[in-house]
Amino acid sequence: MSHTELTPTGSTNNPAQISSKGPDEKNGFPVDTTSHSISPSQFCSEEEIPEGVCGCCGALRPRYKRLVDNIFPEDPEDGLVKTNMEKLTFYALSAPEKLDRIGAYLSERLIRDVGRHRYGYVCIAMEALDQLLMACHCQSINLFVESFLKMVAKLLESEKPNLQILGTNSFVKFANIEEDTPSYHRSYDFFVSRFSEMCHSSHDDLEIKTKIRMSGIKGLQGVVRKTVNDELQANIWDPQHMDKIVPSLLFNLQHVEEAESRSPSPLQAPEKEKENPAELAERCLRELLGRAAFGNIKNAIKPVLIHLDNHSLWEPKVFAIRCFKIIMYSIQPQHSHLVIQQLLSHLDANSRSAATVRAGIVEVLSEAAVIAATGSVGPTVLEMFNTLLRQLRLSIDYALTGSYDGALSLGTKIIKEHEERMFQEAVIKTIGSFASTLPTYQRSEVILFIMSKVPLPSLHHAMDSGRAGENRNRLTQIMLLKSLLQVSTGFQCSNMMSALPSNFLDRLLSTALMEDAEIRLFVLEILISFIDRHGNRHKFSTISTLSDISILKLKVDKCSRQDTVFMKKHSQQLYRHIYLSCKEETNIQKHYEALYGLLALISIELANEEVVVDLIRLVLAVQDVAQVNEENLPVYNRCALYALGAAYLNLISQLTTVPAFCQHIHEVIETRKKEAPYMLPEDVFVERPRLSQNLDGVVIEFLFRQSKISEVLGGSGYNSDRLCLPYIPQLTDEDRLSKRKSIGETISLQVEVESRNSPEKEERVPAEEITYETLKKAIVDSVAVEEQERERRRQVVEKFQKAPFEEIAAHCGARASLLQSRLNQIFEITIRPPPSPSGTITAAYGQPQNHSIPVYEMKFPDLCVY
């Protein structure tokens, strides 16, 4: 048959097209419009010819092919022939078994047109496929979908941006269709890879690049919608898919500033905002995470962490925080703890990374934890704090050694101490911010947990020896107490017995007597945070002698029964540590301000008449410390103690509202203002204190007199007998051991205490006369006796845990020898040898010696024989 055009008479059908003309650039595609037409109506009827019979004439072609051919116009600029498309749709609905053949033929035509660059017909073919997909939902649609996906893949493989966008749009329409029948063998691996590649487009033209990236994001969104809720489809949550999808979305989120680099005109701004790949990527990421089930969270989060690592995005922190805010607000609340666990694991995995990287991870963890706490944190509370405290200790080791391996060597990465300090501050801030969101009971557990990690020499806790070990212990104590202060800030608990349990208070107060001034200050601030339950703390930030404390607007409530019980149990312990803290030489202004705040808050929050009396006795004892100066304190410290006593007694006198008491305090303060201003806080606690060089000649008019205070308060119903007694703290082993003892000194002291209590050292002590004061002292100090016994047991355990083996062996050997000698004495007394029938024999030195005869050789009387 010749290649001339055959146009039979009366033919109105649309011909098949064979291109031979030049391209037409309409709609962005070069299109051939020359064709040779064949009219099938001249040669045969509309009945379908079997597929095996074929020829050059259209009439010999199957009906579905003729219907497909008819939808293509002679000129592609005319677009899809709608009437013929309706016929094809009706035919597909009437004969659904032909749908797969229609798809295969359309696919064949599209591939041929793509190869011949007839892009106008490519657009018409994809439009026809879209309409068939929307109309047909029969059993055979799966085979048709395979042809459709094959055509979409062909378009995506093209290098033409417009074809890629066309294929993506068709795939998105397909993704929104809910299929009636499942598919067991369909795969979307190619589409995930190709769409991810499009998300990373680097086309020279910015506008085309933006369109390609947006098409890639839309394609990934379509894949997710098509597969995420269908268990029969390919599992999109597999790592092989998530490792492509998530980084592609993050890449476009990361380059948001690039999309906004071209500032559009005001009229074009809304359109540009809609075309922003960053916003589209964020919506897609939110949709993806919102559909994630419990078991898929890990696979979705891990690529995020890897992407941030690979692109060094932890150090600026801004993008990393933004990503995890999107994640935390998108996932279901009950899955929040899984994200926290992933971040904690990643922090552990990067324990040897740069401090800036670890600080970035901790900052992200802080933001995520606060959001997670509003939902469900689950069992990760203590796990999170344990990980952070472990990282804190590792950072201290890195800062001390200067390397991640503990020793400097060739090729070792040098660590910058200021970066490690920045990381430590970030950890402490994270601990505080997360703890502030926890309920009271969980917060109490965290407080006890942190306190248990503080290394203390007086308790059975691991302590490092040597100079480096002392530095490590000190830094660890400071960092953990800082963390504890962050957690305790804002802590509200109506019951002080629950807020400060005995085991916690014992450990906390044992650190209050350490040599390090910074540690002591942290302990005082922690106690203030726990006791302040009405927000009065900031009102005592400066020490002063106000003539009217009503301007402070203090919030005062009546002491509850639980608080009374707490003070009866722990008041002497608190007073003792306050008293001993006042005697420290290394105290500075902040220490005295903290001591004043602690005394004031105890008076407001926990005071009854008995507590007020004891506090006044305590402050008067502090005044005596400054006056007698047995500790050889510097002049500043003595003046500070005088000023501290004046400020507190001025406060407590106005709180008790006893006129005579207020008058006495006011008179002494006025006398000091005139003649001894260096004994008042206004002259002492300033930037340049005005001190006296001679404090030995302080006259009685400058001092608060215990007899006068006892007299005026006794007339108002206070216990005058107790007020007359000077306060004397009961020193315990805890005070001596927790002071500034090294491990060797502690152990030697324990051995001395034990040897002093051994039977060999026992001496008869004359019986003590039992008086009223003795019984009173025994009742008051019963708690101290229990603490001493508990401390003695801890010391014994600590000795056997930490003392050298030779010392323990020698000590045990001495105890064993002592025990054996005592047993021998007892045996000699209780078990004497039987008398010898042959009497006694004389020793070589003329001394009689009992001779023992074995039982079997003895001769017994006849009465003993049976």
Side-chain angles (χ1 to χ4, degrees), residues 48-62 65:
E48 186 176 330
I49 305 297
E51 187 120 9
V53 180
C54 57
C56 299
C57 298
L60 301 178
R61 302 169 65 81
K65 287 188 178 182

Side-chain angles (χ1 to χ4, degrees), residues 319-330:
F319 178 73
I321 291 176
R322 181 190 176 195
C323 286
F324 274 89
K325 281 187 175 181
I326 293 174
I327 292 172
M328 297 304 295
Y329 284 118
S330 299

